[in-house]
């Protein structure tokens, strides 16, 4: 059952104030990403946030550096450098490593099957077993110490779902999504994986919601995303999955500031305070009750920013 609850009041607070408290459903500004990009991806180990990949209109822009953000100090540093630019990639942290999964690789900007593992302690980058087939604009999610690579594009939108086991450095096929799509958002919560929105060859405004149960290796439909959109990000916080931003192209194209929270316990959505800066192709990662929304394009297509805006996503 779909339901959309009332919009809460948007408040902007300073980093110093929020360092002492997290006021539910309010935003604050944090240190921006050192290079302005779009089509980035973010992930966290619960202490720091990592950002990889991206695109920029200026060919001099550094797109190979993988950045680490320390929220306690509000400081960015370079974790490692990739050997080639990549964008629309999947990014997860697992067992002390940041995994860069698939994406579109420069200069051809074609889907790649490469998967790189960055050792957080050493800063070294190693290629591990590639995806069974190249894919970009996918989502990567960790569940039960394995990496699930879901959806994206090859030469068309796919519902492909493949699972990587770092213990064996190998991939296996899992049940595909019922709705093939790319530029999606997903997160794991309560032993299941939730995927929302995206686009296909017909529309930028898919609203489909699906949940994957590893016990049965099957997907089931859930309440659709209230605002269909693509180029989105998501994070799980306090028993909910929160979806941020997005875009629609073509005539009347624009970016979305919408922030909508899905509660699996009720199969219902709530509308939260909108993003201060509407963006698509942003990186999203949660640490505690705070969600960091990083970089992305403030307008459709190839626009860039380094914005780092933080939502206190604790329930009121």
């Amino acid at each position: 059952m779909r339901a959309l609850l009332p919009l809460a009041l948007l408040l902007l607070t300073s980093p110093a104030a929020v360092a002492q408290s997290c006021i539910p459903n309010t935003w604050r500004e944090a240190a921006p990403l050192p290079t302005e990009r779009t089509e980035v991806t973010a992930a966290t180990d619960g202490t720091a946030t990592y950002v990889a990949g991206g695109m920029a209109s200026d060919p001099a822009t550094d797109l190979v550096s993988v950045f680490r953000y320390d929220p306690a100090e509000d400081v960015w540093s370079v974790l490692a450098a990739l050997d080639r630019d990549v964008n629309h990639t999947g990014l997860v942290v697992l067992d002390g490593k940041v995994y860069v999964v698939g994406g579109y690789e420069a200069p051809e900007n074609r889907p790649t099957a490469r998967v790189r593992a960055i050792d957080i302690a050493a800063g070294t980058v190693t290629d591990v077993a590639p995806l069974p087939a190249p894919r970009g604009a996918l989502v990567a999610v960790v569940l039960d110490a394995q990496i699930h690579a879901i959806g994206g594009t090859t030469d068309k939108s796919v519902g492909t779902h493949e699972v990587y086991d770092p213990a064996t450095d190998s991939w296996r096929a899992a049940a595909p999504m019922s709705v093939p799509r790319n530029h999606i958002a997903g997160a794991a919560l309560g032993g299941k994986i939730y995927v929302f929105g995206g686009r296909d060859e017909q529309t930028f405004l898919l609203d489909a919601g699906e949940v994957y149960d590893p016990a049965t290796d099957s997907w089931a439909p859930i309440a659709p995303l209230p605002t269909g959109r693509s180029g989105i990000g998501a994070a799980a916080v306090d028993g909910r999955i929160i979806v941020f931003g997005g875009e629609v192209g073509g005539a009347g194209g624009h970016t979305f500031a919408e922030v909508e929270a899905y509660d699996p316990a009720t199969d219902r959505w709530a509308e939260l305070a909108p993003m201060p800066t509407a963006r698509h192709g942003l990186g999203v990662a949660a640490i505690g009750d705070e969600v960091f929304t990083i970089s992305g394009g403030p307008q459709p297509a190839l626009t860039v920013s380094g914005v780092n805006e933080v939502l206190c996503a604790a329930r009121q």
Side-chain angles (χ1 to χ4, degrees):
M1 176 180 178
R2 171 175 168 175
L4 190 62
L5 303 183
L7 175 67
L9 177 66
L10 169 65
L11 297 174
L12 283 173
T13 55
S14 70
V18 178
Q20 302 301 318
S21 63
C22 176
I23 304 171
N25 206 28
T26 62
W27 287 88
R28 67 177 177 91
E29 295 180 0
L33 187 70
T35 60
E36 294 188 338
R37 306 176 179 183
T38 188
E39 306 302 352
V40 304
T41 316
T44 181
D45 57 9
T47 300
T49 294
Y50 304 89
V51 175
M55 302 176 71
S57 55
D58 183 351
T61 301
D62 171 15
L63 296 174
V64 297
S65 290
V66 178
F67 290 101
R68 178 185 187 274
Y69 174 70
D70 180 349
E73 300 296 329
D74 193 31
V75 170
W76 290 90
S77 59
V78 174
L79 173 66
L82 304 178
D83 60 337
R84 295 178 69 179
D85 298 356
V86 66
N87 56 79
H88 293 82
T89 187
L91 198 74
V92 297
V93 181
L94 178 61
D95 293 335
K97 296 179 180 179
V98 177
Y99 287 85
V100 183
V101 182
Y104 301 124
E105 201 167 54
E108 299 86 0
N109 214 36
R110 295 175 181 167
T112 180
R114 288 183 71 184
V115 179
R116 304 165 176 91
I118 305 170
D119 186 289
I120 293 174
T124 53
V125 184
T126 305
D127 276 71
V128 298
L131 289 161
R135 274 191 286 155
L138 72 167
V139 68
V141 178
V142 171
L143 182 67
D144 297 331
Q146 297 184 326
I147 300 170
H148 294 246
I150 303 165
T153 59
T154 52
D155 57 348
K156 62 179 181 180
S157 299
V158 297
T160 305
H161 177 191
E162 293 160 338
V163 185
Y164 176 75
D165 186 346
T168 60
D169 189 29
S170 63
W171 290 88
R172 63 176 173 83
M177 290 189 297
S178 62
V179 181
R181 46 197 160 134
N182 62 86
H183 285 79
I184 54 182
L189 183 63
K192 297 180 180 180
I193 295 174
Y194 297 82
V195 175
F196 302 103
R199 69 181 71 161
D200 59 15
E201 287 67 36
Q202 284 71 49
T203 180
F204 279 63
L205 300 173
L206 291 175
D207 63 0
E210 297 185 61
V211 58
Y212 175 74
D213 186 345
T216 58
D217 186 31
S218 63
W219 292 86
I222 55 177
L225 184 63
T227 307
R229 46 206 160 103
S230 57
I232 51 183
V237 184
D238 200 10
R240 300 185 296 183
I241 298 169
I242 306 174
V243 179
F244 298 82
E247 71 169 331
V248 60
H254 60 275
T255 51
F256 290 85
E258 275 79 356
V259 179
E260 294 163 336
Y262 175 74
D263 188 339
T266 60
D267 193 33
R268 298 181 68 186
W269 288 89
E271 184 177 350
L272 302 185
M275 300 170 63
T277 307
R279 284 167 284 149
H280 72 98
L282 67 166
V284 175
I287 298 178
D289 288 331
E290 292 196 314
V291 186
F292 296 81
T293 65
I294 302 164
S295 188
Q299 300 297 328
L302 190 54
T303 62
V304 299
S305 76
V307 173
N308 182 8
E309 295 169 339
V310 189
L311 174 69
C312 177
R315 295 192 193 232
Q316 293 176 295

